[in-house]
Every structure is written in C-alpha cells, then in structure tokens.
Amino acid sequence: MKPSTDEEILRLLREHPSTFLSGEVISHHLKVTRTSVWKRVRSLRALGYEIEASRRLGYRLVRSPDLLSPSEVKPILKTKWMGKTIHYFHTIDSTNSEAYQLALRGGREGEVVIAESQRKGRGRLGRHWFSPSFSNLYLSVILRPKIPPYQASLITLMAAVATADAIEKFSGLHPTIKWPNDILLGNCKVAGLLNEIHSEMDRVHFVILGMGVNLNIDGKMFPREIRAVATSLKKEMGKPISRKLFLQVLLKELEDWYEVFLKEGGASVLKAWRGWAQIEGKKVKVTSFGETVVGKAVDVDPYGALILKTGDGEQKRIVAGDVEYDRK
Ligand code: BTN
C-alpha cells in the first residue's frame, strides 16, 4: 500500500526531530502545493499531533498522540514480516470481518487490520465485544498456515500464549489463560481472542486471528454487566500505558510463536499454554452447545480440546464452550 500524504509528512518530520523542515522542502518531496501541506498539518493537529509551525522556518513535530496508525506503529515494529501492511481505521464494524474480506480478496499472511473503535465488535459464541474509541486494542491478523482444519484450534492456543507472554513482558504482571483463550489478570478478563477460519475439508485457506486487549480503559467505563469481571492493563498497572508499545510487543510475540508452531508443531505451544493455564485438577463448569457439564479438568488434548472428568468418573472431551472455575 502506498503511504498517505499524512504518513509521508510525519515521516519527513520524524527524520528531522530537532529542526524545522520548511514547507517548501515538504511540498517538493511530496509533489503537492505548500497550501495542501498546511492543510494536512492542520488535520494532523486535529488528530492530536503537536506540530509547531513558523512562517519563516517551517514545521517541527513536537509530540505524537498514542494512535495506532501505520505512521505511529510501523517505525517501531520489531517483527520480520507481521504487520508490515497495516489497514487502519478510526472506526469499523469489526476488524475481524474486514480482515476476512481482505483475505478472501487475496490479502497476504501477516497483513493486519487495526481500528481505534468498533461499531459491532464481535466476541466468542456470538457475543458483543465492548470497543470504545482510542483506549484499547482491536486487532486482526491474516494467517495462511499450511495445515488441515483439525489443527486450527492450536493456532488459537498459540495466540493465547503469545498474548499472555506479551502482557507479562510489557507489564511484569502474571496473567493466566482460561480455556480456551481468555486472558485474565487476577480473576478478571483483560483480553479475548476470536479466531475464524476459512477452509475446505483437508486444507485451511486462512485464519483470522482477532484480538481484543483492554489497555487504557478505566474500570468505571466498562458496561455494568461486565464491570466485575473485566479489567484493563491501565487499571492493573495503576498508570496509563502506551498502546503502540504494547502492540509492538504483541506482534513480535505473535510472529515468534507462530514460527515456533510452524516449525515444531503443536507440542511447544501446548507446553507453554499448560504453563499459563495451570488447568489440571481445577473444578470447572462448562457450558457447551446449551449443555452444562461439571467436572475436574484433566488436561487439553493435542488438538486443544478440554478433557474433563465428571463426578461419575467419565471423561468428556469439550471442543467449544464457556468455562467457569469453581473457586470453592
Ligand atoms: C472473546 O469473546 O473473548 C473474544 C473477543 C475478541 C475481540 C476482538 S477485538 C478485534 C477483533 N474484532 C472483533 O470483532 N473481535 C475481535
């Protein structure tokens, strides 16, 4: 994708951090008039960029806002291939739906969709995902693993491991994973994953990894129904955080873990997942396809399904559903 005029202006200003850059130089580089440079600077200011302007000297970038736009994110990415193409939106129905459509039209592995807010953010099991503006992370990544569909749930576990690793590296806090892929801090959910797959019987065409991470939202801003069970990194760390620095860590972890999965198969992912989840022996209640099963968690199987032992000693294999831990 060709960088926009705004991205190019920001790139030029960043290349000269301590000096002014004249309007003439910028307009010459971008092949646009000086008036249109001035108009773009005004609209960048409206987005929160502090740009000093002097009639004699030109422009100087003083401070950037914490946006997740390509011009903010790309210069700091530490990945080799993931996130090199960013489709960025101020608002969108759902980044997952957008990424899915992109992938159908040939979007490549590693392309990401990021939005500052979602109008119809989607959660697991048909739920809504709370997606207010400029405070959290709403991200979808296109992956094209050469695997059969029965292995796709391992990609979900892989993404949960990468998210837990990223949270720990970024914050020093120790998250846990609740089967299959809720990320908790304490007993409250800080991140959720919605992964969607497009496949034929024996081959996956693509997977959309959808990740929602509560970053800078204040506890009291959560809707009442989830206030007691949701948290954010800001709330847990007691200070506002840089969303773009979190994204930098998350995409690096995701790329690294995905490469481990492709090279070594599911074993390393499962080992790490078990470490974060500590599920063995926990008393759980699972609601799956309208049926509720109570039992003791035994493990996850090689395909990521939850194995439970019920009261009558029977083992059950659960492939999808909602888990509640019994804390008694
Ligand atoms: C869950 O229910 O725990 C999964 C939530 C997943 C939310 C993310 S936000 C980015 C992406 N786009 C969506 O519409 N959903 C996922």
Side-chain angles (χ1 to χ4, degrees):
M1 265 197 317
K2 201 170 155 296
S4 67
T5 310
D6 287 4
E7 279 170 20
E8 284 294 299
I9 292 177
L10 289 169
R11 186 181 59 76
L12 288 172
L13 292 177
R14 281 205 184 93
E15 281 172 5
H16 303 82
S18 48
T19 51
F20 280 85
L21 199 60
S22 76
E24 199 177 331
V25 169
I26 300 177
S27 68
H28 177 77
H29 260 86
L30 302 186
K31 299 189 177 61
V32 294
T33 64
R34 286 177 68 171
T35 317
S36 50
V37 171
W38 168 237
K39 281 190 183 149
R40 294 324 307 159
V41 165
R42 265 203 327 225
S43 84
L44 285 167
R45 279 177 172 168
L47 288 174
Y49 287 90
E50 250 182 73
I51 299 172
E52 208 180 324
S54 145
R55 204 178 275 276
R56 206 166 48 86
L57 301 171
Y59 302 101
R60 189 171 75 93
L61 180 62
V62 180
R63 197 169 307 125
S64 302
D66 189 27
L67 292 179
L68 299 176
S69 57
S71 48
E72 288 303 308
V73 171
K74 276 190 177 174
I76 61 166
L77 277 188
K78 294 211 156 78
T79 50
K80 293 186 293 253
W81 51 269
M82 193 176 280
K84 296 293 165 183
T85 300
I86 298 177
H87 303 267
Y88 172 72
F89 300 85
H90 276 181
T91 184
I92 198 169
D93 279 349
S94 151
T95 56
N96 260 38
S97 309
E98 178 68 22
Y100 201 95
Q101 291 306 319
L102 272 170
L104 285 177
R105 296 198 299 271
R108 277 160 309 141
E109 177 152 90
E111 289 191 23
V112 307
V113 178
I114 297 174
E116 297 288 2
S117 71
Q118 299 184 114
R119 292 181 294 264
K120 294 182 187 160
R122 295 190 282 118
R124 283 178 57 237
L125 308 169
R127 295 198 190 107
H128 167 72
W129 185 256
F130 177 57
S131 311
S133 307
F134 300 108
S135 46
N136 297 329
L137 176 62
Y138 317 111
L139 166 77
S140 299
V141 184
I142 300 176
L143 295 179
R144 294 188 178 275
K146 292 188 179 59
I147 55 169
Y150 68 86
Q151 284 183 4
S153 50
L154 288 171
I155 300 261
T156 300
L157 300 195
M158 178 284 291
V161 166
T163 309
D165 268 353
I167 289 177
E168 188 182 62
K169 283 205 172 123
F170 183 82
S171 66
L173 300 169
H174 191 75
T176 50
I177 298 178
K178 187 163 77 111
W179 184 86
N181 50 12
D182 284 354
I183 316 292
L184 310 184
L185 282 170
N187 293 325
C188 292
K189 181 159 163 175
V190 68
L193 274 68
L194 176 68
N195 299 331
E196 297 179 289
I197 128 170
H198 185 269
S199 72
E200 54 191 76
M201 281 303 279
D202 47 10
R203 173 171 87 92
V204 165
H205 296 155
F206 60 80
V207 177
I208 303 299
L209 272 189
M211 324 180 79
V213 190
N214 298 328
L215 293 178
N216 265 334
I217 181 120
D218 287 321
K220 57 182 183 305
M221 300 301 284
F222 283 115
R224 198 174 294 276
E225 23 345 324
I226 58 169
R227 211 170 284 166
V229 292
T231 191
S232 68
L233 266 193
K234 177 183 176 189
K235 185 170 174 210
E236 300 298 324
M237 293 173 75
K239 58 175 187 196
I241 62 158
S242 160
R243 294 183 307 147
K244 62 186 169 209
L245 287 182
F246 179 78
L247 179 61
Q248 175 198 53
V249 179
L250 178 62
L251 284 178
K252 176 79 175 95
E253 286 302 317
L254 205 54
E255 181 181 276
D256 286 353
W257 271 108
Y258 181 56
E259 288 185 349
V260 167
F261 170 72
L262 293 181
K263 212 155 93 205
E264 299 171 15
S268 315
V269 168
L270 280 166
K271 187 165 172 242
W273 189 93
R274 288 185 180 106
W276 286 116
Q278 299 293 328
I279 200 165
E280 198 189 327
K282 277 200 177 128
K283 273 189 174 172
V284 294
K285 185 163 107 182
V286 191
T287 314
S288 176
F289 303 109
E291 197 199 337
T292 301
V293 188
V294 179
K296 228 178 216 175
V298 179
D299 198 359
V300 284
D301 77 4
Y303 307 107
L306 177 65
I307 310 297
L308 279 191
K309 198 171 202 170
T310 58
D312 51 17
E314 198 194 336
Q315 285 217 353
K316 287 218 165 198
R317 181 174 188 270
I318 316 276
V319 291
D322 248 352
V323 163
E324 263 175 66
Y325 292 144
D326 183 349
R327 297 185 210 290
K328 280 178 279 175

